[in-house]
Amino acid sequence: MLDWFFENQFYKKHREKIQIVLDLLIVCFSYILAYWTKFNFKFDFHSLVIYKLVLFAIAVLLIYTVYFIAFGIYRSLWKYIGVVEIVRLTLADGLATITIMVLTLFLNKNLDYVSIELVAGCFAALMMFSLRALYRLFRRYTSRAGNVKTAVIIGAGDAGNILLKEINQNEKLKYKVVGFVDDYKKKYMIEGLSILGTCNDLKEIKEKYQVEVALIAMRNVSKKQLRSIVEQCQNVHLPVQMMSESIFGNQLKKRNVLSDVKIEDLLGRGEIHLDQHEIASYITDKKILVTGAGGSIGSELCRQILKFKPKELVMLDINENDLYLLEQEFNRDREHGKLDEDIKIVSIITSIRDPLGLEQVFKLYQPEVVYHAAAHKHVPLMETRPMEAIKNNVFGTRNVILACIEHKVSRFIMISTDKAVNPTNVMGATKRMTEMILQAYGDNGVTKMAAVRFGNVLGSHGSVIPIFSKQIEEGGPVTITDKNIIRYFMTIPEAAQLVLQAGYYADKGEIFVLDMGEPVKILDLAEKMIKLCGLEPYEDIEIKEIGLRPGEKMFEELHLGGETFSKTKNDLIYRNDVMHISLDELNKRLDVLEDLIKDEENTGIIKNTILSLIITDNR
């Protein structure tokens, strides 16, 4: 009944008026109670002068009302009552009491009345505090009626304390927290809850307190530490959620407090240390163009570039939908003050296959730095239409490189792939050919050039992560090509940041290879993703082996046999020395490809031809 009252429109509309009436009624009751206790719990009605009593009551209520309004007592919601609100209420009540006592001494000079007013002020403060505390407790418990999960918070520091308060105040968070889990074993209380043990005690804690979910509340937790915590929770079949960093923001109603742990959180290496000055030296206040800007890598490159405040960002793509969505994202960032108003952002729909379209873009916008991320990348699709891969990846890249040289672009950085190393598929072969084009044009005297080669990117369009997620959501099976297949993985932001850093080192067509860490077994990846969803592999979700797809390799490599490489200043970036190929030799090979895709439709012949054209460069 009371819950219905607090939720109806009448209360919401007149909340402040209702609350001030309640507080003034408490003030009246406090004076009656103080008078009653002063005279041994007896009322001497014969000594009361009614009109004086009424005038006194009006004066007291007016004084309290003035102080309540002056201190903004009713601008705060009672369900969020805290130390600041208590201090303001104490000051308002205390100053109102002092004012009434001073007026009484000045007008009446009766110390008995002064002592009554002092006691009444204390009673009023105590009862107003109690009313707000009872309201907060009532709203806390009634809001969680129904489907409430018993939870423990992993992390008993500041973040854990903030999360507990948010759970207690946010009616949408249906959790009953029974305690904390922390490596700091000393027993102390947080908001009345104890540290129940460490992560090693999770099994006993789960059984004793019937825990249904673990909530991780740790700021700046390392990937290694997070992996360990998640694995310990999974070992006792305890679902896990993480506190979002957005909880520390100011827009309380709009933030996501808790989110599921993503596989990217476990596989990424965490913070990447970049030389901000080196990157800023060739991006800040410059005109930057990104091809393939709507794609996974291209869009993240745009986000990272904007952090360095370029003069202008030109986003080029043939996919209008992805480009439009990225443009809208940046427009929202401007509205929320997250993006510098002075940065000009332009979206251009055109294809890198179209030399005339590229010429118009370069002539109009005159970019100083070009990041080339546009490419056809899906291996099985390129196996069925190799001519499309060649048109886009090979000749499209040459178009961009020639436009850069013609328009005196200072720096060109191309995205390559580990599939370009000893390729067995068309896509990898076309990317290896683009590396050869880059190195043939590298020493051009105008544009510094480089390629950045790395492996699979977690969460990119068409990668295994979204595919596995969809399969798990549909109840399985999760399909893998081979149980022994391994891949290198990197998060999208990680890859984009290292591309920016490698771009500083660009000179005459070097290929920079990113340290991808340890390769990951795809089977292990599938099992971890199933467990993150609170399910058991092979029991709740089947894992099915379907065999290698056309052109797919069991493992990928990052260096060609004939390449020599050395470390850069950044420990995660290696420099491959330029392998010599003359422009005449390159053009002969490109002429062969150009004639082939004009007349030949046999995919096998096209594939074998391009594979033969890239092998000879490694002799």
Side-chain angles (χ1 to χ4, degrees), residues 81-133:
I81 193 75
V83 175
V84 174
E85 288 75 21
I86 294 299
V87 169
R88 288 211 300 256
L89 186 59
T90 302
L91 289 172
D93 177 78
L95 289 173
T97 301
I98 292 170
T99 302
I100 293 166
M101 289 167 62
V102 170
L103 289 174
T104 300
L105 282 173
F106 181 74
L107 297 174
N108 200 350
K109 297 181 181 179
N110 189 327
L111 293 177
D112 286 339
Y113 289 137
V114 171
S115 63
I116 290 173
E117 290 156 359
L118 179 60
V119 172
C122 293
F123 281 162
L126 181 62
M127 283 189 277
M128 285 187 287
F129 295 158
S130 300
L131 177 63
R132 285 159 171 77

Side-chain angles (χ1 to χ4, degrees), residues 530-556:
I530 293 170
K531 287 180 179 179
L532 281 176
C533 296
L535 302 169
E536 278 299 310
Y538 312 108
E539 294 180 14
D540 302 313
I541 299 288
E542 180 188 356
I543 298 178
K544 185 178 179 181
E545 193 175 22
I546 60 174
L548 292 176
R549 298 173 298 180
E552 191 170 27
K553 299 195 313 188
M554 284 292 293
F555 61 92
E556 301 290 0

Side-chain angles (χ1 to χ4, degrees), residues 163 166 170 173 242-244 246-247 255-259:
L163 178 58
E166 184 68 21
N170 192 330
L173 298 176
M242 281 190 68
M243 184 182 78
S244 171
S246 63
I247 196 171
R255 68 192 181 198
N256 294 318
V257 178
L258 290 164
S259 60

Side-chain angles (χ1 to χ4, degrees), residues 5 66 135 138 157 200 242 304 344 427 466 497 514 533 580 610 618:
F5 173 76
V66 169
Y135 176 87
F138 173 79
N200 294 326
M242 281 190 68
Q304 298 291 339
K344 185 179 179 182
M427 194 283 283
Q497 290 167 15
L514 304 188
C533 296
H580 177 72
I610 189 170
N618 195 26

